[in-house]
Amino acid sequence: MSTTTPPPTPWELGVSYILHLWPALTVAVEAQWGGPNSSDKRDWLCGTIADMFTDAAPVNELPDGTVIGGGEPDEVDVEETLLQVMQDEFEVGVDDDSSLEVARDICSLREKYLQGNLGAVEAWRTRYENRRRGATTQAAISRAPRVVEKDGDETDEELDDEDDDDEEDSDEEMGGVSTTPAAVPRERLEPVIDDDGFELVQKRRR
């Protein structure tokens, strides 16, 4: 008999949105620093963080003053878990304080969620969807062939064609005669003989 997995709660979705927007975790997954199942490890981390709150034993005080139950985790507990998982599963040491910011976002969302503010979850969903659309658009742009040029720019082929046309037009204007100077043969001088029968030396005309 097969069992149906219940859909995620708004709280679980909210945690997932926040963690999917964490750059350090995104890079680790995309680079597969956690191996080929890096994406599954991120999903597992999302569930682990969400369960830290839902599975926490409530704080109760007995008649004799004894306090039982640790209550829900705080941002320090969440950050420690994030850093531990990043180190153990992805072999990444996060030292830019982004893990603390993520932990604070999760604890803030938890507080609003317990107050019945589902709009906070929706706000994180919107941010996640916008980021995903932006990444998809950027990837499409990077893969697209560069066929659009700025106004006034011409390709090398177009410039070559124009040069050929200019040369043809120039030849037509000159009556089809090339303007390139050609080698002109020198005029052969005929010998001049004086009255005594001697040949006179003549200077060549330039």
Side-chain angles (χ1 to χ4, degrees):
M1 181 177 179
S2 61
T3 58
T4 302
T5 303
T9 65
W11 161 244
E12 292 170 336
L13 289 174
V15 172
S16 179
Y17 296 144
I18 293 174
L19 291 180
H20 274 75
L21 289 169
W22 186 17
L25 181 56
T26 299
V27 171
V29 172
E30 292 180 349
Q32 294 191 345
W33 290 341
N37 59 337
S38 293
S39 182
D40 294 336
K41 289 183 177 181
R42 176 172 56 187
D43 294 340
W44 171 81
L45 175 59
C46 293
T48 298
I49 297 297
D51 291 344
M52 287 177 61
F53 291 85
T54 56
D55 294 345
V59 177
N60 291 312
E61 184 176 353
L62 299 178
D64 60 0
T66 303
V67 177
I68 60 174
E72 294 190 348
D74 58 15
E75 61 187 36
V76 175
D77 298 325
V78 175
E79 183 190 22
E80 289 178 351
T81 301
L82 293 175
L83 293 176
Q84 190 65 45
V85 172
M86 290 293 286
Q87 183 64 54
D88 294 346
E89 301 297 333
F90 297 97
E91 299 182 357
V92 176
V94 182
D95 55 3
D96 61 355
D97 294 332
S98 62
S99 56
L100 180 57
E101 296 177 6
V102 171
R104 287 173 177 171
D105 289 337
I106 291 175
C107 291
S108 175
L109 177 64
R110 180 62 175 176
E111 181 179 356
K112 295 175 182 178
Y113 177 75
L114 292 178
Q115 296 172 353
N117 183 3
L118 297 182
V121 177
E122 182 64 19
W124 279 106
R125 185 192 71 81
T126 300
R127 292 178 59 179
Y128 166 71
E129 293 291 344
N130 289 340
R131 174 70 62 83
R132 187 174 65 174
R133 281 196 295 267
T136 301
T137 301
Q138 185 62 36
I141 292 175
S142 64
R143 290 194 300 266
R146 299 183 181 277
V147 295
V148 179
E149 298 180 348
K150 295 180 181 179
D151 293 340
D153 291 348
E154 296 176 311
T155 63
D156 293 339
E157 182 178 353
E158 291 172 340
L159 291 174
D160 292 341
D161 291 342
E162 289 186 1
D163 291 341
D164 293 341
D165 292 341
D166 292 341
E167 293 178 359
E168 293 176 359
D169 293 341
S170 177
D171 290 344
E172 290 177 359
E173 293 174 359
M174 298 297 295
V177 179
S178 174
T179 59
T180 304
V184 179
R186 292 182 178 181
E187 181 182 357
R188 186 173 181 275
L189 299 178
E190 296 295 334
V192 177
I193 307 301
D194 63 7
D195 297 337
D196 296 329
F198 295 99
E199 180 179 352
L200 298 178
V201 178
Q202 304 179 71
K203 293 184 179 180
R204 294 184 178 273
R205 293 191 299 272
R206 293 185 179 179

